[in-house]
């Protein structure tokens, strides 16, 4: 049986299903998990299906979450968009007897009994739609909205390199088979208050750029207060700084007063950055990674490491 059949078979067999995703969820983590719940319930009306993890107010339009309780450990666990044990939000994978992973991150470690990893897929949401298209799982409009949001956000509106012919085939099928209102999805995803634009203006004016084309900015609690924005919102700004001639790699370090460390978001238009992120308590994709650094010294070390990968990249390009 192929992987789609195997996953479908496990879902069909299970009475209770718990779906989890990574901490600090983005629209793909939420879209893939909540979208999968909708699809399962749309196909099997009598199953118990829960999506767990911390809610985020910014993305509440993607749907509500369920409160986890210990009784859920006898269900089938499905983890989406999460490559390792340490980044799963709200559950201990090892306590489940049966588990499935659906993920598009580069492989880190085996966490689930059955794993479907496609690190060339644009998003975990794309994989969930693919699963539905290849099995008897039934898509509907509610699921489609969540999954489309996940695909759009993780590809940055079909711009990133893992946007492939398969992405467009899957999106095309999603639009054809459901009554999806994409304007609504774009409004939900991209409407923002004016203070966010003012804050973006501050970032635009204050990036430092190294001689090797690494752009970076340190966002202090004072700046967050002045612009009335939070660390999560500031971290999400990173994707707005692509396509700037002078920055081949760019980073935001946002001080997170709760965790007393800097939430670090890194993006690249060529050099591979996830190996550097891994050295600084982080990880992620080859061109989009995150990390956690404690102080100014670690910030400078991380910039130096990024400078090095940019130099290697440029040398390889010219040879
Ligand atoms: P972000 O910059 O927070 O949007 O994260 C970009 C990518 O890096 C996502 O795929 C995250 O899952 C991953 N990532 C972010 N922070 C971390 C971290 N501390 N550890 C491992 N992966 C991370």
């Amino acid at each position: 049986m192929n992987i789609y059949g195997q996953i479908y078979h496990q879902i069909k067999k299970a009475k209770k299903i718990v779906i989890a995703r990574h901490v600090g969820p983005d629209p793909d983590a939420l879209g893939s998990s909540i979208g999968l719940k909708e699809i399962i319930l749309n196909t099997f009306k009598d199953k118990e299906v829960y999506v767990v993890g911390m809610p985020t107010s910014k993305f509440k339009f993607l749907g509500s979450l369920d409160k986890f309780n210990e009784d859920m450990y006898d269900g089938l666990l499905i983890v989406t968009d999460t490559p390792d044990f340490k980044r799963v939000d709200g559950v201990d994978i090892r306590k489940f007897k049966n588990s499935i992973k659906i993920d598009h991150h580069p492989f880190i470690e085996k966490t689930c009994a059955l794993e479907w990893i496609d690190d060339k897929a644009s998003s975990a949401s794309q994989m969930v739609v693919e699963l539905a298209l290849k099995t008897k799982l039934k898509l509907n409009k509610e699921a489609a909205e969540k999954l489309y949001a996940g695909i759009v956000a993780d590809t940055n509106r079909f711009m990133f390199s893992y946007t492939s012919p398969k992405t467009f085939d899957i999106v095309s099928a999603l639009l054809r088979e459901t009554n999806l209102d994409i304007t609504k999805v774009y409004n939900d995803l991209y409407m923002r208050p004016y203070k966010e634009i003012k804050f973006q203006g501050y970032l635009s004016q204050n990036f430092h750029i190294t001689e090797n084309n690494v752009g970076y900015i340190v966002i202090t609690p004072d700046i967050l207060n002045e612009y009335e924005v939070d660390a999560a919102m500031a971290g999400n700004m990173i994707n707005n700084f692509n396509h700037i001639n002078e920055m081949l790699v760019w980073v935001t370090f946002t001080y997170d007063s709760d965790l007393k460390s800097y939430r670090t978001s890194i993006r690249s238009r060529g050099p591979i950055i996830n190996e550097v992120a891994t050295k600084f308590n982080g990880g992620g994709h080859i061109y989009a990674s995150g990390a956690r650094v404690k102080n100014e010294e670690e910030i400078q070390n991380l910039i130096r490491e990024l400078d090095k990968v940019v130099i290697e990249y440029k040398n390889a390009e010219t040879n």
Side-chain angles (χ1 to χ4, degrees), residues 104-119:
H104 74 128
H105 288 86
F107 177 80
I108 294 183
E109 61 190 350
K110 186 163 163 70
T111 57
C112 295
L114 178 61
E115 302 208 325
W116 177 30
I117 297 167
D118 179 359
D119 64 7

Side-chain angles (χ1 to χ4, degrees), residues 22 86-87 105 263 265 267 281-285 288-292:
H22 64 74
K86 78 173 197 301
R87 300 256 308 149
H105 288 86
R263 178 188 159 158
S265 285
R267 298 292 185 270
N281 221 350
H285 305 280
S289 297
R292 279 269 161 193

Side-chain angles (χ1 to χ4, degrees), residues 27 30 34 38 56-64 142 145-146 149-150 153 184-191:
L30 292 164
I34 300 173
E38 299 272 1
T56 69
S57 56
K58 185 171 165 58
F59 302 124
K60 63 175 186 294
F61 61 87
L62 288 169
S64 57
E142 284 67 38
E145 280 176 5
K146 278 125 198 152
K184 175 179 180 300
V185 176
Y186 287 119
N187 282 340
D188 284 342
L189 269 180
Y190 296 114
M191 275 312 259

Side-chain angles (χ1 to χ4, degrees), residues 12-13 47 59 109 112 122 139 153 159 161 163 186 190 199 223 226 237 246 264 274 287 306 313:
K12 191 172 171 197
K13 235 176 40 181
K47 286 197 194 298
F59 302 124
E109 61 190 350
C112 295
S122 71
L139 287 160
M159 191 170 65
S161 61
T163 304
Y186 287 119
Y190 296 114
F199 178 60
I223 292 295
E226 186 181 332
M237 282 276 166
E246 291 79 357
T264 304
N274 57 347
Y287 304 132
L306 289 173
Y313 172 80

Side-chain angles (χ1 to χ4, degrees), residues 91-292:
V91 296
D92 181 349
I93 300 183
R94 294 178 180 92
K95 288 193 180 167
F96 286 87
K97 279 193 217 70
N98 200 4
S99 54
I100 297 173
K101 180 199 274 181
I102 299 176
D103 188 31
H104 74 128
H105 288 86
F107 177 80
I108 294 183
E109 61 190 350
K110 186 163 163 70
T111 57
C112 295
L114 178 61
E115 302 208 325
W116 177 30
I117 297 167
D118 179 359
D119 64 7
K120 299 285 181 286
S122 71
S123 51
S125 298
Q126 173 181 314
M127 295 174 73
V128 171
V129 181
E130 183 178 351
L131 176 69
L133 295 171
K134 300 274 188 183
T135 63
K136 291 183 187 152
L137 288 172
K138 291 192 208 122
L139 287 160
N140 62 5
K141 189 179 172 198
E142 284 67 38
E145 280 176 5
K146 278 125 198 152
L147 294 162
Y148 187 75
I151 296 170
V152 163
D154 249 34
T155 60
N156 206 1
R157 284 171 267 182
F158 306 104
M159 191 170 65
F160 291 157
S161 61
Y162 286 132
T163 304
S164 64
K166 191 170 179 179
T167 309
F168 287 110
D169 285 346
I170 285 172
V171 166
S172 166
L174 191 65
L175 294 183
R176 222 177 14 253
E177 292 197 8
T178 66
N179 218 358
L180 172 60
D181 179 355
I182 61 170
T183 309
K184 175 179 180 300
V185 176
Y186 287 119
N187 282 340
D188 284 342
L189 269 180
Y190 296 114
M191 275 312 259
R192 60 229 194 273
Y194 183 48
K195 66 181 180 189
E196 245 183 80
I197 297 302
K198 286 191 185 163
F199 178 60
Q200 189 173 317
Y202 168 82
L203 298 183
S204 308
Q205 305 261 10
N206 288 284
F207 261 95
H208 300 276
I209 304 176
T210 70
E211 61 181 352
N212 299 306
N213 305 103
V214 175
Y216 68 96
I217 184 161
V218 179
I219 302 162
T220 61
D222 285 351
I223 292 295
L224 294 178
N225 283 340
E226 186 181 332
Y227 287 88
E228 298 173 17
V229 295
D230 60 21
M233 200 283 277
N236 291 333
M237 282 276 166
I238 186 90
N239 292 329
N240 297 351
F241 290 91
N242 199 346
H243 298 125
I244 298 171
N245 276 334
E246 291 79 357
M247 304 199 306
L248 193 55
V249 167
W250 61 106
V251 196
T252 56
F253 298 97
T254 312
Y255 193 73
D256 178 341
S257 304
D258 293 336
L259 296 179
K260 304 210 169 3
S261 59
Y262 290 86
R263 178 188 159 158
T264 304
S265 285
I266 317 169
R267 298 292 185 270
S268 166
R269 259 200 325 282
I272 290 174
I273 51 171
N274 57 347
E275 286 159 14
V276 175
T278 305
K279 289 189 202 162
F280 291 86
N281 221 350
H285 305 280
I286 57 174
Y287 304 132
S289 297
R292 279 269 161 193

